[in-house]
Amino acid sequence: MLSSIRTVWLVFLHMFKKRVTIEYPEKKAFLAPRWRGRIVLTRDPDHNERCVACYLCAAVCPTDCISLQATEDENGRRKPEYFRINFSRCIFCGLCEDACPTYSIQLVPDFEMGEYKRQDLVYEKEDLLIDGQGKYHGYNFYRVAGVAVGVKGKGEGENESAPVDRKKLVP
Amino acid sequence: MQIIFYIAALVAIVSTAMVITRKNAVHALLYLIVSLLAVSVIFFVMGTPFVAALEVIVYAGAIMILIIFAIMMLNLGQASEKREKEWLKPRTWIGPGILAAILLAELIYTLNSFSPPAHEQAIIDAKDVGMSLFSTYALGVELAAMMLMAGIVGAYHIGHEKQKEYHRYLQKEEEL
Amino acid sequence: MSETWIHILIIVCVLLGMVTIAAGLIYVERRMLAVWQERYGPNRVGPFGIFQVMADMVKIFFKEDWIPGFVDRKVFIVAPTIIMITTLLSFAIVPFAPGIVVANLNVGILFFLAMSSLGAYTIVLAGWASNNKYSLIGGLRGAAQMISYEVFMGLSLMGVVILAGSFNMTDIVMEQKGMWNVVPQFIGFVIFFIAGLAETHRLPFDIPEAESELIAGFHSEYSGMKFGMFFVGEYLGITLVSAMTTVLFFGGWLGPSFLPPIVWFLIKMFAFILVFVLLRASLPRPRYDQLMSWGWKILLPLALLNLLVTGAIVLYNQ
């Protein structure tokens, strides 16, 4: 009985406390840099697409909302022919970002993507691709990868030794 | 005031007739409540507002709601309505109906031949009711109190049942 | 003739005023709940969101008024009207200020008790007519709760009646000129307020409609304006119990003369309405059997004791 009265009094005192509500459209809530929101495809420092169309993101996606088709350019560099994310299915779990070997697919702190038509929530590659490098700066997959696709010659990469001449007898 | 009395009386009679002829028990009870409210209005017009208020509080407010409460639990469905329909056939009610009609005729005859004393509109309030309850009718009040006490004791005896099935943890404790 | 017209004017004013207050309470309650929960509440429609009431009204009037096929049609339609009618009728005996009273009955309190006991039908009938298990359980709980707490409500008021020597509300207010009834009748006040909470099935005691157990209890099947009637009826009930508490225990319109009597009355009434909201914001719902045993084992003996002591003191002083 007394504890109930005490409860009522304590709740009454809340009248004089600061309100915790953030009035959203006027004031925005703080979103941490690693907040998982809208998915983007990023470019490397040379302004080429980072995506190598390895399908890992599509394979790991729990809701199967990512769809892509790989193709190659004239240098043999892999890239997606189309890259489609259905955001009405996406649950923003971030598994695609974890799976991506090239830091291409990234989740950015933005959630304001309401649409009147459901079809408008299916984002194509040109909607997803941004001009910058996203959260990971200076990383270029083909600079460290062994293959030569016109970015660098064989053996010229960072921490990469020169190619072995396998026709010689001595190593 | 006369016209209000007659309207209320008419409502009471019609709704009581509806109580008898309804097949659905809850509908019948609702008409009974209307009838009680009409009787309460009659009491009010006759200059006994205290009794009128008690009529609504006790009969319409407490007793009828308990009866509805009981009927809600019984879950009377289509079957009971069918049975009521059977009972409302003239074959069933014609005998008691005739007998009751004879009694009613006698009642009207005696009421007519017996001229009532001049009715004075004295307002009987709570004080008068209390005075007469605890002086003239003291014995009746005591008897009613005893009956209610018996009712309470009986209800307690029926409702107070020793818990027979214990939770398995409690059962073990009991055995130990 | 002019007296009759003034009377009709009073009736219309009381009726419209009470319904307006009840509708406005929807906004007041949401705002005050928000204040006590460190939120803002509705603040979008108009300045400080005061047009939220209009928005809600428009919404509730234009919603589809759906009567499910499995219900008992007549009773289903009658049930929500009962609470509106009985609560509005109860306002007839509330003296708002000297002379401003619809019916100065000499059995005023009994009339209030009669109307609140008839109000129990709305829950029982709505629960039964909905033909739904949750509604039926809600109706059963509501019936048991309301008829139990009516007993304590009536008994707690009898102390006031003994002090005033009358059932008339105006007499009761005039009797409190020296001292408000809340001082000699503090136990009666507490019991009346708790019973009033239970009678209006407001939030600490909202077990007939307990959302978390019974969906919405007796009004699960209702929609549109029929649901709105339950909704407004509940707020009317709050207003009524607050007004009755003011009249019976806090001296009604009495107060220092720098404000008109009706203002004093309204100030006191709104204070109690806010207490209702505060209780909603702070207290959890008791279990059903707890409510019942609390009522019959604590409130009933207390009310009887209060009545006995009051009567004894009044007799001794004579």
Side-chain angles (χ1 to χ4, degrees), chain B residues 126-144:
Chain B
K127 201 172 180 180
D128 301 331
V129 173
M131 295 286 255
S132 61
L133 270 186
F134 284 96
S135 58
T136 324
Y137 303 106
L139 186 66
V141 171
E142 291 296 322
L143 286 177

Side-chain angles (χ1 to χ4, degrees), chain A:
Chain A
M1 186 64 206
L2 277 178
S3 72
S4 297
I5 294 168
R6 184 169 165 273
T7 312
V8 174
W9 173 243
L10 287 180
V11 171
F12 179 75
L13 288 183
H14 275 264
M15 203 160 150
F16 308 107
K17 290 198 176 155
K18 196 172 166 293
R19 294 163 185 199
V20 293
T21 313
I22 298 165
E23 291 189 274
Y24 162 63
E26 290 89 37
K27 294 176 198 145
K28 307 274 167 155
F30 169 72
L31 298 180
R34 289 174 62 179
W35 203 84
R36 299 199 306 265
R38 180 167 57 91
I39 298 175
V40 294
L41 290 176
T42 55
R43 292 174 188 271
D44 60 21
D46 301 335
H47 218 69
N48 291 317
E49 288 172 42
R50 271 173 172 163
C51 182
V52 295
C54 63
Y55 296 102
L56 279 179
C57 49
V60 79
C61 182
T63 56
D64 290 338
C65 66
I66 301 177
S67 150
L68 70 155
Q69 172 63 52
T71 183
E72 282 183 7
D73 66 0
E74 62 278 10
N75 294 320
R77 178 181 172 131
R78 282 170 65 93
K79 62 170 190 173
E81 187 183 350
Y82 64 84
F83 198 105
R84 205 171 281 150
I85 297 184
N86 185 353
F87 277 111
S88 56
R89 288 177 70 128
C90 180
I91 58 170
F92 302 99
C93 61
L95 289 181
C96 47
E97 186 176 12
D98 283 351
C100 186
T102 64
Y103 288 148
S104 169
I105 192 164
Q106 292 181 10
L107 277 76
V108 294
D110 171 28
F111 58 90
E112 295 163 321
M113 38 199 299
E115 297 286 353
Y116 286 103
K117 275 191 292 181
R118 211 159 267 249
Q119 198 56 38
D120 294 346
L121 277 169
V122 178
Y123 278 39
E124 292 294 337
K125 185 171 154 186
E126 52 267 32
D127 308 319
L128 294 166
L129 202 59
I130 61 167
D131 270 345
Q133 302 176 32
K135 291 182 275 189
Y136 306 99
H137 286 275
Y139 179 75
N140 191 336
F141 174 69
Y142 283 109
R143 290 252 170 236
V144 290
V147 285
V149 288
V151 178
K152 58 160 181 64
K154 279 207 166 177
E156 290 169 7
E158 299 157 22
N159 303 326
E160 191 184 2
S161 38
V164 174
D165 187 356
R166 63 187 187 284
K167 290 181 178 160
K168 276 164 71 178
L169 281 176
V170 229

Side-chain angles (χ1 to χ4, degrees), chain C residues 245-309:
Chain C
T245 319
T246 309
V247 170
L248 294 171
F249 295 100
F250 284 81
W253 67 76
L254 299 175
S257 60
F258 57 85
L259 283 177
I262 183 86
V263 176
W264 276 116
F265 182 88
L266 289 177
I267 287 174
K268 291 175 194 171
M269 193 178 87
F270 274 107
F272 281 108
I273 289 172
L274 290 183
V275 173
F276 266 96
V277 179
L278 177 60
L279 287 177
R280 172 180 179 169
S282 48
L283 291 179
R285 184 186 305 133
R287 225 169 48 214
Y288 177 64
D289 59 322
Q290 285 173 337
L291 180 82
M292 278 298 163
S293 59
W294 161 253
W296 287 106
K297 290 178 186 164
I298 299 175
L299 292 188
L300 180 67
L302 264 182
L304 286 174
L305 205 65
N306 179 42
L307 184 60
L308 195 69
V309 171

Side-chain angles (χ1 to χ4, degrees), chain C residues 74-315:
Chain C
K74 286 179 208 155
V75 183
F76 188 81
I77 295 170
V78 165
T81 59
I82 295 175
I83 193 165
M84 287 280 282
I85 291 170
T86 56
T87 326
L88 282 174
L89 273 179
S90 301
F91 278 111
I93 48 116
V94 176
F96 293 92
I100 304 185
V101 54
V102 175
N104 201 4
L105 280 182
N106 57 354
V107 285
I109 288 188
L110 291 178
F111 184 78
F112 162 70
L113 289 175
M115 284 303 128
S116 74
S117 68
L118 284 184
Y121 281 113
T122 192
I123 293 188
V124 180
L125 294 180
W128 178 79
S130 293
N131 207 355
N132 168 332
K133 289 189 182 91
Y134 292 111
S135 300
L136 186 68
I137 294 172
L140 288 177
R141 287 180 174 192
Q145 173 181 335
M146 286 181 83
I147 51 179
S148 309
Y149 276 77
E150 241 145 52
V151 177
F152 324 135
M153 192 183 232
L155 283 176
S156 66
L157 291 183
M158 286 313 127
V160 176
V161 173
I162 288 176
L163 284 183
S166 165
F167 286 109
N168 186 312
M169 303 288 278
T170 315
D171 289 353
I172 289 170
V173 175
M174 295 320 284
E175 185 269 332
Q176 299 178 56
K177 268 201 167 143
M179 180 170 41
W180 288 356
N181 266 339
V182 67
V183 183
Q185 285 293 317
F186 185 72
I187 299 175
F189 160 66
V190 172
I191 294 170
F192 176 75
F193 200 74
I194 293 174
L197 273 177
E199 276 293 298
T200 52
H201 38 93
R202 277 291 297 174
L203 221 82
F205 298 143
D206 71 334
I207 48 178
E209 49 191 298
E211 298 94 340
S212 41
E213 307 157 28
L214 300 180
I215 310 175
F218 58 91
H219 56 60
S220 298
E221 300 290 350
Y222 282 87
S223 60
M225 200 48 217
K226 289 202 195 67
F227 170 74
M229 282 214 206
F230 282 120
F231 205 58
V232 175
E234 185 180 324
Y235 286 103
L236 275 175
I238 297 172
T239 320
L240 177 66
V241 172
S242 305
M244 289 302 285
T245 319
T246 309
V247 170
L248 294 171
F249 295 100
F250 284 81
W253 67 76
L254 299 175
S257 60
F258 57 85
L259 283 177
I262 183 86
V263 176
W264 276 116
F265 182 88
L266 289 177
I267 287 174
K268 291 175 194 171
M269 193 178 87
F270 274 107
F272 281 108
I273 289 172
L274 290 183
V275 173
F276 266 96
V277 179
L278 177 60
L279 287 177
R280 172 180 179 169
S282 48
L283 291 179
R285 184 186 305 133
R287 225 169 48 214
Y288 177 64
D289 59 322
Q290 285 173 337
L291 180 82
M292 278 298 163
S293 59
W294 161 253
W296 287 106
K297 290 178 186 164
I298 299 175
L299 292 188
L300 180 67
L302 264 182
L304 286 174
L305 205 65
N306 179 42
L307 184 60
L308 195 69
V309 171
T310 314
I313 290 174
V314 167
L315 275 184

